[in-house]
Amino acid sequence: MTAAADHLVKQEDPPSEGLTALGEYVKDYLGRVRGGELGSLPALAGLIVITAVFALVHQGFLSAYNFEALVIQAAPIIVMAMGLVFVLLLGEIDLSAGTTGGLCSAITAVLILRHGLAWWLALVVGLAVGVLIGFGMGWLRARVGIPSFVITLATFLAFQGITLILIGGQGSVILPDNSPLIKLENSFVPIWLGWTLLVLVVAGYAAIKINDAAGRRRSGLSRPPYTVIAAKVVVLALLGTAFTYEMGVNRNLTVNAFFSNKAQGMPWVVVLLVIMFAVWNFVLSRTRYGRHVYAVGGNEEASRRAGVVVSRIRISVFVICSGMAAISGLVAASLLQSVQSNAGAGNTLLLAVGAAVIGGTSLFGGHGRIIDAVLGGLVVAVIINGMSDLIQGANSAGYEWVVTGAVLLLAAGFDAVVRRARSR
């Protein structure tokens, strides 16, 4: 560390050294990028580029109506991808996350409609089933030693069959109009509450960053300049303001007879996404458990010798993944206002895995963050939404999947290249 950097970490930045501190930070950041530590930068750049392209070719792509459509379409993918990040961090895979979500949503719907159970109790049962499924798969992987690919492939097939049996020959179960579950994706936060939440999020982010920087300075560690922190806070505030303002526009949607046709404010699912992001980001980045997850994903044997109970960590990530898959299934049911007999099958899992990988989570374990799921989920949703308007006709869906698959392959190949750069 240079003398200038030593001086920066021991006392407040003097005005004459502000540019020096910023220059040192930029130099260090570029060095990490050249070393392969790109994080979510490619996903963020890709999101900006594809959004700009679709905005140019579609006049209404940046409209409030389309913003809302993007958010509610991306929500189930993002929720499932958040859970998959934990499994991928250990170099494992959960092929049954999609059908787990479908099964849990089917159980919840059947309990409400056919057995008259209170909606909140049926919700608890559905989530509990997801947690138990995750525990069972984690136990088989950690204690019995069956590869996660085999376990989750078997459960992927089995859960499809169980869901089909539960739904029966009806093909779907329609949720009641007055169900609070439907409101999650189809009703909106009051405008004043949306602005309040934005202020709380920005203020909380700024407080965390400033506190971290102050703590690193007291410990004699390098830290980002306050100018960089201020720039990040301003960017977050501007993006949040633009989104909240756009969501305040009346989209004049008629959802159904139960809800008002005045659609103003962000969907309630946005609040759910913010809460889950804050919780899981805290768990991974600021707890001992999170450090153990990264340690096991990076080097299992070294973690075991350091005293980490690897089997417990492995079981826990499957529990988290299946629990989040259950929530994702319920969010999807809210979006569709029903549970289909094929719920969670098809491309559900592939989109969620693709979101995590596109966002920057490594398929080989040890590298990934919760923000990867959010950015990757938005990239996937933007591609699907934009392509559906760009390409019309009988084969439009085929082209959408081809483009999405190409982006996923590109992200996986990029991950492999970056991994080789790190090893060198």
Side-chain angles (χ1 to χ4, degrees):
M1 186 179 292
T2 64
D6 287 334
H7 183 69
L8 287 170
V9 299
K10 290 179 182 177
Q11 64 181 38
E12 296 294 334
D13 296 335
S16 60
E17 295 189 2
L19 292 178
T20 302
L22 183 60
E24 289 289 336
Y25 175 83
V26 172
K27 182 179 178 181
D28 179 65
Y29 177 76
L30 293 176
R32 294 199 304 271
V33 170
R34 285 193 295 270
E37 296 183 25
L38 300 179
S40 301
L41 186 61
L44 182 60
L47 180 61
I48 293 172
V49 170
I50 60 176
T51 300
V53 169
F54 286 133
L56 288 175
V57 297
H58 298 309
Q59 185 176 5
F61 187 77
L62 297 181
S63 66
Y65 176 84
N66 204 51
F67 266 24
E68 180 197 334
L70 282 172
V71 170
I72 63 176
Q73 289 168 6
I77 300 172
I78 292 174
V79 172
M80 187 175 295
M82 285 183 184
L84 284 166
V85 166
F86 283 85
V87 172
L88 294 174
L89 279 172
L90 264 62
E92 303 284 357
I93 189 64
D94 184 356
L95 298 177
S96 66
T99 53
T100 296
L103 174 60
C104 294
S105 62
I107 290 173
T108 302
V110 168
L111 288 176
I112 293 174
L113 294 173
R114 298 180 186 172
H115 300 279
L117 207 63
W119 70 269
W120 62 268
L121 187 54
L123 198 68
V124 170
V125 172
L127 295 177
V129 170
V131 171
L132 289 174
I133 287 172
F135 180 84
M137 293 191 298
W139 185 85
L140 289 172
R141 174 66 185 95
R143 300 296 187 184
V144 182
I146 305 174
S148 59
F149 180 89
V150 176
I151 298 169
T152 57
L153 178 60
T155 51
F156 167 79
L157 298 172
F159 294 163
Q160 276 187 282
I162 296 173
T163 302
L164 183 59
I165 293 170
L166 284 175
I167 300 299
Q170 299 176 359
S172 66
V173 175
I174 308 298
L175 296 173
D177 289 342
N178 59 352
S179 172
L181 183 58
I182 289 183
K183 295 182 180 180
L184 183 63
E185 285 267 45
N186 298 288
S187 63
F188 309 98
V189 177
I191 295 177
W192 66 267
L193 182 56
W195 287 108
T196 302
L197 291 173
L198 173 63
V199 171
L200 292 175
V201 168
V202 174
Y205 177 80
I208 290 172
K209 289 298 182 182
I210 293 173
N211 181 68
D212 287 348
R216 294 181 67 85
R217 182 178 66 84
R218 288 192 299 268
S219 301
L221 301 173
S222 61
R223 59 173 174 82
Y226 287 114
T227 50
V228 173
I229 295 175
K232 291 181 178 180
V233 172
V234 169
V235 170
L236 176 63
L238 290 176
L239 292 175
T241 299
F243 176 75
T244 307
Y245 174 80
E246 194 75 1
M247 290 295 93
V249 176
N250 183 14
R251 276 88 69 192
N252 196 29
L253 300 176
T254 302
V255 181
N256 55 39
F258 180 76
F259 297 114
S260 168
N261 65 350
K262 187 176 183 180
Q264 283 182 288
M266 64 183 71
W268 276 103
V269 74
V270 174
V271 180
L272 177 66
L273 291 175
V274 170
I275 292 173
M276 288 191 299
F277 172 80
V279 169
W280 293 126
N281 187 64
F282 176 83
V283 168
L284 271 184
S285 62
R286 296 176 180 275
T287 66
R288 179 193 229 177
Y289 170 78
R291 292 192 293 272
H292 287 179
V293 170
Y294 282 111
V296 173
N299 192 320
E300 180 178 328
E301 184 58 31
S303 301
R304 182 178 288 107
R305 293 183 180 184
V308 178
V309 184
V310 174
S311 60
R312 292 181 184 175
I313 297 297
R314 180 159 280 116
I315 291 172
S316 69
V317 297
F318 279 98
V319 169
I320 292 172
C321 182
S322 293
M324 292 296 286
I327 297 175
S328 172
L330 293 169
V331 172
S334 175
L335 174 63
L336 299 174
Q337 302 182 34
S338 65
V339 178
Q340 310 293 325
S341 59
N342 63 345
N347 296 303
T348 304
L349 171 74
L350 300 180
L351 291 176
V353 173
V357 174
I358 290 170
T361 298
S362 175
L363 287 168
F364 304 99
H367 296 278
R369 299 178 299 168
I370 296 300
I371 190 63
D372 299 343
V374 178
L375 292 176
L378 290 175
V379 169
V380 171
V382 168
I383 291 174
I384 294 175
N385 183 282
M387 291 293 293
S388 65
D389 292 331
L390 182 63
I391 301 176
Q392 303 292 332
N395 296 322
S396 59
Y399 288 108
E400 291 175 27
W401 296 122
V402 168
V403 173
T404 306
V407 171
L408 175 56
L409 181 61
L410 180 64
F414 188 77
D415 175 42
V417 171
V418 168
R419 188 176 178 83
R420 279 205 304 270
R422 285 199 195 103
S423 64
R424 287 198 299 267

